[in-house]
Amino acid sequence: MPNYRIIVDLSQRMLYLLDNDTVTRGFPVGIGRMLTLSPVGEYTIINKQPNPGGPFGAFWMGLSKPHYGIHGTNDPASIGHMVSHGCIRMYNEDVVALAAIIPIGTRVTIRE
């Protein structure tokens, strides 16, 4: 049985999917800008919603910190930059692939 968790490395602007502490996938991400930094800490995925609309792209995965999530984007050029209001932004195809793998309850660590 897989034991998935996610690490978001803000300095690398990367999201890593781990299975039993082994990195299995890495994805480039957009992160919070200076005034609205992504929140460092330990969270869990509490909900998943395909096609949430607007700037959230093809998929939304909500974190246990209210109003924060991992989501797609309608602006692919923003990936790799400090652009969001604190959410973790991914390419649409990447967030859909990730959402298909991880269950609700997956641990998410956001670190600097």
Side-chain angles (χ1 to χ4, degrees):
M1 171 137 176
N3 179 23
Y4 290 122
R5 64 192 190 98
I6 290 170
I7 294 177
V8 177
D9 190 303
L10 298 176
S11 64
Q12 295 180 350
R13 298 184 190 157
M14 288 289 291
L15 180 152
Y16 297 104
L17 176 65
L18 290 80
D19 182 3
N20 289 317
D21 295 325
T22 301
V23 174
T24 60
R25 303 275 305 265
F27 301 99
V29 294
I31 62 172
R33 62 182 131 209
M34 231 34 180
L35 294 173
T36 53
L37 293 173
S38 300
V40 172
E42 298 285 337
Y43 310 101
T44 54
I45 300 287
I46 58 165
N47 57 43
K48 294 163 67 168
Q49 181 187 353
N51 301 310
F56 303 119
F59 214 96
W60 165 268
M61 291 181 284
L63 295 177
S64 53
K65 183 173 180 71
H67 313 296
Y68 289 90
I70 298 169
H71 62 78
T73 183
N74 58 3
D75 179 14
S78 68
I79 301 302
H81 302 282
M82 295 178 72
V83 288
S84 78
H85 288 103
C87 287
I88 306 302
R89 202 182 276 191
M90 301 178 69
Y91 289 117
N92 285 324
E93 59 269 28
D94 289 351
V95 76
V96 167
L98 181 64
I101 297 169
I102 62 164
I104 288 175
T106 298
R107 289 183 302 146
V108 178
T109 302
I110 301 177
R111 67 183 187 201
E112 290 177 357

